[in-house]
Amino acid sequence: MITKITAAITAVGKYVPDYILTNKELETYVETNDEWITSRTGIKERRILKGEGLGTSYMAIKAAEDLLQKSNAKAEDIDLVIVATATPDLPVAATASYVATNIGAINAFSYDLQAACSSFLYGMSTAASYVESGRYKKVLLIGADKMSSIIDYTDRATCIIFGDGAGAALFEPNEEGLGLQDEYLRSDGVGRDFLRIEAGGSIMPPTEDTVKNNKHFVYQEGKTVFKYAVSNMASVSEKMLTRNNLTEKDIQWLVAHQANKRIIEATANRVGVSSEKVMMNIHRYGNTTSATLPLLLADYENQLKKGDNLIFAAFGGGFTWGAIYLKWAYNS
Ligand code: UT7
């Protein structure tokens, strides 16, 4: 009998920088206040990576090392390292290659994957596909972003939201049917008018003017993105349940991208899961873009049980969005 290989997460790890940027401190940069930020986003504080010359790879390496230290996996057995990120160390030269070499994954190949806030979710699909096909056995997926490197701390519409961090997950074959079960991934290019960095790419290379006019920072039309995020994240999550014949009672955890507490709650309401089943750490880290989903897994790892049904959902720039249904594969 041929057993279908599924791709399961077998270990997770995380890293967040020490520096805590509070709502109170933001009040000294821009016209805002703790009450507004808390009620509109759910965010109380976020982590910021300080230190000359430290980029996204610094956090990605630490998250991967945390994972390796907690698991039986050996770095030299890893076949592939994917770094999901919107803030690579350098525009050219994959951050993942630097990370792989630095963690001792000397037999791996490596590349970056960019789909804004959906990078890790899309990366789960990529990592799982390699494993399910039988082509590779150990795929390390890291979601890491140094959002503070692309945020304008004089723009109150964006600076209150984002933070820095990294999380990692190892994908391996599973013969008990655990791991990724189903996915529904979407995109729509209409989104780039509403959430983007205008300059620094091939359309508008950097010039003195682009720097002077703050065009290398994230621009977001929050209200529009909010509307798209609420309706799309909720509908793909609902689709995961209906097409897998699941009801809210079958779901142990909703693992939703941490962009805004109100978006997460709207998604939870639509699929009918109660608040104790909703993973939440936005109050501590803000929106860490590619790192939100693996940071949730690392923070909730102790509460996860083998066989638990998890629904992942994300929405981000592009627009990109989607949902994944995954069965958790181990007790920690
Ligand atoms: O992760 C990738 C995808 N991104 C998202 O999913 C983010 C989606 N968007 C959002 O989360 C929300 O739109 C924001 C948190 C960015 C903004 O919240 P909002 O409830 O949509 O606020 P708003 O932009 O409609 O602004 C409401 C009011 C405005 O004042 P008026 O025009 O009503 O007088 C803003 O000028 O709040 C004002 N405002 C602020 N006030 C204090 C905007 N930013 C701030 C601020 N502090 N930081």
Side-chain angles (χ1 to χ4, degrees):
M1 195 184 89
I2 298 168
T3 318
K4 184 182 177 296
I5 301 170
T6 48
I9 293 176
T10 56
V12 293
K14 74 174 250 199
Y15 174 77
V16 289
D18 293 336
Y19 190 85
I20 298 175
L21 174 58
T22 61
N23 290 349
K24 269 265 159 287
E25 184 177 343
L26 282 169
E27 285 176 16
T28 67
Y29 303 168
V30 289
E31 185 68 42
T32 192
N33 58 76
D34 176 50
E35 200 280 324
W36 191 96
I37 301 173
T38 308
S39 62
R40 296 288 178 126
T41 70
I43 302 165
K44 292 302 265 183
E45 58 191 42
R46 58 300 282 138
R47 300 300 178 106
I48 302 295
L49 182 63
K50 302 266 187 185
E52 191 77 20
L54 300 185
T56 292
S57 64
Y58 178 83
M59 297 184 291
I61 290 166
K62 292 218 176 275
E65 285 172 346
D66 180 46
L67 180 152
L68 288 167
Q69 185 254 316
K70 282 160 56 188
S71 78
N72 298 322
K74 292 198 194 73
E76 59 269 30
D77 293 337
I78 295 170
D79 300 304
L80 164 61
V81 176
I82 301 172
V83 172
T85 185
T87 53
D89 281 5
L90 308 170
V92 174
T95 301
S97 307
Y98 184 77
V99 171
T101 298
N102 274 273
I103 62 171
I106 48 171
N107 297 308
F109 72 108
S110 50
Y111 59 87
D112 297 350
L113 190 155
Q114 211 280 61
C117 291
S118 304
S119 301
F120 191 84
L121 188 88
Y122 282 19
M124 288 174 70
S125 168
T126 308
S129 301
Y130 279 122
V131 171
E132 288 159 1
S133 70
R135 195 174 290 187
Y136 301 113
K137 289 202 158 43
K138 286 189 186 341
V139 179
L140 179 63
L141 173 64
I142 305 166
D145 266 306
K146 185 183 170 186
M147 294 306 292
S148 61
S149 66
I150 53 169
I151 293 301
D152 175 2
Y153 284 91
T154 64
D155 175 13
R156 70 175 182 174
T158 51
C159 76
I160 55 131
I161 302 169
F162 293 98
D164 303 338
L170 184 66
F171 286 75
E172 292 187 88
N174 184 284
E175 292 189 356
E176 296 176 274
L178 302 169
L180 197 143
Q181 307 292 307
D182 193 14
E183 67 180 37
Y184 185 61
L185 307 180
R186 308 291 308 143
S187 66
D188 185 345
V190 70
R192 81 173 178 186
D193 287 343
F194 307 113
L195 177 48
R196 65 170 182 223
I197 294 177
E198 206 177 343
S202 54
I203 294 180
M204 197 187 286
T207 62
E208 233 174 86
D209 275 351
T210 61
V211 173
K212 253 191 232 147
N213 294 319
N214 287 344
K215 289 188 186 298
H216 294 273
F217 293 125
V218 171
Y219 161 82
Q220 175 172 249
E221 201 178 297
K223 238 186 198 12
T224 310
V225 178
F226 185 90
K227 278 187 202 143
Y228 274 97
V230 166
S231 78
N232 287 313
M233 246 170 75
S235 70
V236 290
S237 305
E238 195 176 37
K239 196 176 186 88
M240 273 304 92
L241 267 69
T242 49
R243 83 175 187 190
N244 288 285
N245 296 318
L246 300 166
T247 70
E248 79 286 354
K249 290 195 189 67
D250 303 311
I251 304 303
Q252 278 70 48
W253 295 102
L254 177 66
V255 193
H257 173 54
Q258 309 282 293
N260 187 314
K261 191 167 184 237
R262 291 183 291 145
I263 301 174
I264 302 163
E265 285 169 351
T267 304
N269 284 342
R270 178 84 160 268
V271 291
V273 299
S274 49
S275 58
E276 69 277 7
K277 292 182 173 181
V278 181
M279 291 189 186
M280 196 81 82
N281 58 15
I282 190 168
H283 52 293
R284 290 159 60 205
Y285 307 139
N287 181 350
T288 54
T289 303
S290 311
T292 63
L293 299 181
L295 279 175
L296 285 171
L297 293 180
D299 283 352
Y300 281 82
E301 185 184 23
N302 289 340
Q303 296 178 58
L304 290 167
K305 296 195 180 55
K306 188 173 172 179
D308 277 358
N309 289 324
L310 277 58
I311 299 292
F312 292 76
F315 184 90
F319 293 130
T320 54
W321 73 97
I324 284 178
Y325 164 33
L326 176 137
K327 277 186 179 291
W328 196 247
Y330 64 95
N331 299 312
S332 54

